Structures are given as structure tokens and as C-alpha cells.
Amino acid sequence: MPLPDASRLTSLGDERWRALGQRLSSIGVSNQTIANVTRPIERVAYELRGPLRVMHLRKHATEAAWALRLFAYGDPVTEREARAVLGDDLFSGLAEIGAIETVETSWVSPFLLTLHADLYVFVDDLTHGDDAVMGSGSSTLALSRAAVPSQRKATALDFGCGAGPSALALARQVDHVVGLDINPRAITLARVNAALNGIDNVELVVGDMFEAVRDRRFDVIVSQPPFVARHEGSKASTYLHGGARGDELPMRVLAEAPKLLADDGVLVTWVEWPELASDDLTARLRSGLPSRELDLLVLRGPRVSTQVHAAGYAAAEHPLLDEAFATDAEARLTHFERHSVIGVRPTITVVRRQNARASGFDATIDVRGLEAIFPSRLRVDRFLAAHTLLQGDDAALFAAKLRVPKRTSFVEERDTPSPEAPPTFFARFSDKAMVTNYPLAHDSFLFLSLVHMSESAAAAAAFVAENWNVTIDEARQKLAPHLRSALAHGALEIG
């Protein structure tokens, strides 16, 4: 099925698109509404949830349910139901520009409405192929949360903005946002979505790579570049493929985007990086950066096997899971083997420019599933602050006020019931924390507890010196490696 015509969408005018957004909000189209429909089917296989959502929505004779069927799930509604959702003026306007169309005697939108947090975002149905514009999935939401600054900033760039979800999220905390994409269709949909949400501080630009913004500088750059490996015989896709191995285009972003950062500016990307048997991922990313002064923070999710990755993307192309699915999955696996890819790592990669420093740090933190536990920008900034502190000397370390993250438990475990067996200690973080559980030596367990309760690490060292009958220098020598290790892992943060 060909892509629907998007050329007439902007002719509806910003005011009427804004009116549609206000109307959807007023009738209760929200993530909570979707969650209420989804809750009974949470344990059902992901591939089956779409049809079951529609089944549940059909049981509800409400304007919100009709709107979700009309726009979000491709399930036609009657003209009476569509007019109840939209009103006569919007119904006529959307029909005239092809944003809703007839299917026999019913009405449905050829575009898909997604929710990016509380933002309404129209995208394409990717089964239409060609240069379809992707929606906002869990990875895009994770990226936005990690990138949107906690304090007001002046400028931001969303590179490869697609339909604009991250650009629109940034616009609430940034004075002026530029959304850049090579696909004119994406920019058209992004303009519609900006109007739909009543956002007017986003500039949308069609351009290849960074040429259109080469002379600008940004406080925040966000990007989710195409990162899927293109295997032999597959049709090229603008929004999907990052090169033969998958990381070629993302590596270009790492090489070029930092040049556009203002001082203290931050680049945040979401990429599923291919892991190679022959090298270290963080070292490969560092080698692609344009200068040594940049800080590199890699929040690395659990490895996804090539089998799972290949099957997932093949299933998206062939949802019937037929012979074509098996052939595609096998071709992807063979392609990975040819390029020595042993797995795929979902990561949020953060690059920061600080011109006052001659050499930046490299830090890798293993985190839980990034698409389930979304890191906030505040959490990212705390990781950056911790690793900046680690670059300094012990004087700076002991001057700092350090805290164990909230809702952390110290746990003692024994492998055997024997009281003589040495216990194992862990810092066990809450289910909502990003970092994985952290093993502790017995001294680390004591020192982290002590530092957490002290006004500074220096005060903790003074307590150790007084109570262990050692000099202050000896106390600091005991404490420092434990504090540095805990800061690097995320088991301590600057208070």
C-alpha cells in the first residue's frame, strides 16, 4: 500500500490543528486512557495486543475510544462517531486534506496518532514502506527524557527529527529548537505536530547531515540516527538503515555533531551499537569523536543477541512469521557473522563539550533495560558530575558531599549456611534505578554508609582516623579507592 499523500496537511492551518489537539485532550485521549485499555492484556504477546486493544475499544461507546480507533489503531468508525469526536468543521477540514478518509461507509485516518509522553504526534504506518516517517516508541521516549534539560536552555537541535517528538519535548525547556531531517515528508509531519500541540518555538529544516546548521551552536543536540545493519538484498530505508554494519551513520553523527556544541553543550544519542569481537565499544566511540577534550559517557544496556535482534526486525517486516520471515532473519544473521558482530547494545551515548579542560573522560556504566527504566536528564547530569569529580585529585574528592542514591539497600548474602563462610555485600538499587546491583567488599559497605551520613567525604575520613587509630592521610588512602569505584558505578552521587 503506498504512503498517503501528506502534501495537503499543512493547508488545514495551525489554528485548526491546534483545535484538534485541544479537542483530543478535552475528550480524554491520553496515555492513561490507552493504559486502561491495555491493562487487561499486559501478559499477552506483544504481536497480539493491537487486535485485542481494538476489541476492547469497540466495547466503549465514548468519544476517546472512537478517537483512538479513528487515529491510533486504524479501526474505522461511523461518520456519526467521527463527527462526535471532531465536530463538523474539523471533520470537513480533515476529510478535505486526506487526514481522514472513507472506508466503505466508515471513516479512518491513513496516518497514525501516537503519544510521546503527553504530546500528540502523527506519524506513518511503517507497513506502507518507502520513506515512511517513524513514530515515537519507547526508545524515543527514553532519549527525550535523557536529553530534555532540567534547567532552561537557549538552543537545541534534533538531528533526524522525524515527526518531531524529541524536538517538541525539548521546546518546553529550550527557547529555540531546530528540527532537522533529510526527508521532506518528516518535516511536513513535524510542522503538523508542532501546531497540534500548540508549540511555536521549533524551526523545522530539510537538510542532509549538518550542512544547514553548520554555522550554529547548540546547548543540546539530540539524535536517534538510523542504526540497523542493511543486509545484502534488502531495500534501502532512510529511517532504518545506518550502513552495512549499522554504525556507519551513527559514527558520522559522533564525528560531526560535537563541533556544533556550545561550551557545556551536550549531545545525547540513542543507538543500538553493533558489538564486535575485535574491539571495545567505548574505545570505538571515543575514536570517532573529533577532539580529546570531549567527555564521553556511555549508558550501556544489556546485550541483545544477534538472533533476537534479527528475529525482531524480520518480524517487523514480515508480521505473518511465514517463510519470508525465516529467510529474512537468516539473511540478517548471516550478515552479522560476515561483519563479525557478536551482539547489539542499546545505549544512550552522551558527549559533553567543556572547553576549559584539555582532556575529557571516558565512562561506561552498565544499566538496566533503557526502554523500561527511562533515565532523566537530571540523572544523566549526575553521572557527568560524578565522572568529572573522578578526573580531579583526592582533595576535590574529599571536599565533596557524597550520597548513596535514594531507595538503595545494603544487602548481606551468604552462599552457605555456615557462619564461618564470608558474606557477600551488595548495594541493591530500587526497581526504578538505572544502574545494576553493585557488589561491595565489607569495607566498602561500611565506608559508603559512613560517607552517606557525613557532611563531606573529608568528615568521613576524619571519623575513620579518630576511631581506627590511623592518621588522616591513612584514612583517606583507605577511603579513596572505595569512593572512586562507587562513584564510577553510580553507587554514590554528588549530594
Side-chain angles (χ1 to χ4, degrees):
M1 183 181 296
L3 283 171
D5 179 16
S7 64
R8 295 176 291 160
L9 293 180
T10 55
S11 66
L12 186 68
D14 287 358
E15 288 188 10
R16 292 168 90 186
W17 280 116
R18 186 176 294 110
L20 174 59
Q22 293 169 344
R23 176 62 181 160
L24 293 174
S25 178
S26 70
I27 63 176
V29 175
S30 66
N31 280 308
Q32 185 59 54
T33 305
I34 295 173
N36 292 339
V37 174
T38 304
R39 192 170 293 113
I41 56 175
E42 286 177 348
R43 297 182 182 273
V44 175
Y46 179 81
E47 294 80 3
L48 302 177
R49 292 181 189 176
L52 288 176
R53 285 192 192 104
V54 170
M55 182 187 74
H56 282 282
L57 284 169
R58 287 177 178 175
K59 296 178 180 179
H60 297 276
T62 65
E63 292 170 341
W66 295 333
L68 287 171
R69 288 172 56 196
L70 175 66
F71 290 118
Y73 294 109
D75 186 44
V77 300
T78 67
E79 182 172 331
R80 180 188 66 81
E81 292 165 344
R83 287 184 181 274
V85 168
L86 300 170
D88 291 338
D89 178 64
L90 279 175
F91 177 89
S92 300
L94 293 172
E96 184 177 346
I97 63 172
I100 58 173
E101 58 188 19
T102 55
V103 177
E104 296 179 352
T105 60
S106 300
W107 288 85
V108 71
S109 176
F111 302 93
L112 291 180
L113 179 71
T114 61
L115 274 82
H116 183 78
D118 59 347
L119 293 164
Y120 299 119
V121 180
F122 274 110
V123 299
D124 283 322
D125 180 344
L126 297 184
T127 62
H128 291 163
D130 296 326
D131 282 331
V133 179
M134 285 187 68
S136 170
S138 56
S139 60
T140 309
L141 186 57
L143 174 64
S144 290
R145 281 182 53 82
V148 173
S150 54
Q151 296 182 340
R152 193 82 187 170
K153 297 294 182 181
T155 57
L157 170 67
D158 181 0
F159 173 75
C161 66
S166 291
L168 300 181
L170 284 165
R172 292 173 168 175
Q173 279 290 88
V174 178
D175 295 337
H176 185 79
V177 180
V178 178
L180 176 63
D181 202 287
I182 193 173
N183 185 357
R185 182 183 183 87
I187 295 301
T188 295
L189 285 172
R191 288 196 175 105
V192 165
N193 292 326
L196 186 69
N197 292 281
I199 293 173
D200 58 8
N201 59 328
V202 176
E203 174 190 355
L204 295 159
V205 180
V206 177
D208 187 8
M209 292 303 293
F210 296 96
E211 194 56 40
V213 292
R214 187 69 62 190
D215 297 329
R216 304 200 198 184
R217 295 295 177 266
F218 300 95
D219 298 307
V220 182
I221 301 176
V222 61
S223 181
Q224 187 176 2
F227 50 70
V228 176
R230 184 187 174 194
H231 61 285
E232 292 78 359
S234 61
K235 184 179 178 181
S237 171
T238 301
Y239 70 84
L240 191 65
H241 294 129
R245 200 169 64 186
D247 65 348
E248 290 86 345
L249 181 56
M251 288 298 288
R252 285 188 65 189
V253 173
L254 283 186
E256 298 186 33
K259 300 173 184 177
L260 306 182
L261 288 173
D263 192 22
D264 276 336
V266 174
L267 164 68
V268 186
T269 72
W270 170 284
V271 177
E272 295 178 11
W273 294 103
E275 280 200 313
L276 310 177
S278 59
D279 74 357
D280 172 74
L281 175 59
T282 302
R284 188 186 343 145
L285 302 187
R286 165 56 70 181
S287 71
L289 294 176
S291 65
R292 182 60 242 185
E293 72 198 29
L294 298 163
D295 295 325
L296 173 64
L297 172 66
V298 181
L299 303 181
R300 186 174 64 177
R303 176 190 292 172
V304 177
S305 72
T306 54
Q307 291 85 354
V308 169
H309 183 88
Y313 280 94
E317 295 273 345
H318 309 284
L320 296 179
L321 306 184
D322 51 13
E323 185 175 345
F325 158 76
T327 300
D328 188 9
E330 183 177 0
R332 292 173 189 270
L333 279 173
T334 301
H335 183 80
F336 278 138
E337 292 171 2
R338 186 176 296 120
H339 288 270
S340 302
V341 176
I342 60 173
V344 176
R345 284 278 190 173
T347 72
I348 290 177
T349 306
V350 182
V351 177
R352 181 178 61 177
R353 175 180 294 283
Q354 289 194 308
N355 291 333
R357 293 178 27 229
S359 181
F361 61 73
D362 297 350
T364 299
I365 299 177
D366 285 323
V367 299
R368 304 180 188 189
L370 289 166
E371 295 179 78
I373 302 173
F374 301 151
S376 67
R377 174 61 185 274
L378 182 60
R379 173 61 60 188
V380 170
D381 287 342
R382 284 176 176 169
F383 283 141
L384 290 171
H387 284 274
T388 300
L389 180 61
L390 288 172
Q391 303 312 298
D393 57 19
D394 281 356
L397 177 67
F398 281 97
K401 182 177 182 179
L402 303 176
R403 290 290 180 266
V404 175
K406 291 181 178 179
R407 295 182 292 278
T408 299
S409 302
F410 291 124
V411 179
E412 177 183 342
E413 294 182 353
R414 294 180 183 271
D415 292 333
T416 68
S418 171
E420 289 80 19
T424 301
F425 295 94
F426 289 91
R428 183 161 291 166
F429 304 103
S430 75
D431 291 341
K432 294 183 179 180
M434 288 178 56
V435 292
T436 54
N437 293 338
Y438 176 58
L440 298 167
H442 184 262
D443 285 350
S444 293
F445 165 71
L446 295 175
F447 291 155
L448 265 61
S449 300
L450 178 59
V451 168
H452 179 78
M453 294 184 292
S454 301
E455 281 302 308
S456 67
F463 181 90
V464 169
E466 180 179 350
N467 289 274
W468 289 21
N469 294 318
V470 296
T471 68
I472 190 67
D473 287 342
E474 289 172 333
R476 291 190 175 205
Q477 288 174 6
K478 286 179 178 292
L479 278 170
H482 297 278
L483 303 187
R484 288 184 176 278
S485 177
L487 275 169
H489 182 87
L492 278 179
E493 58 189 27
I494 300 173

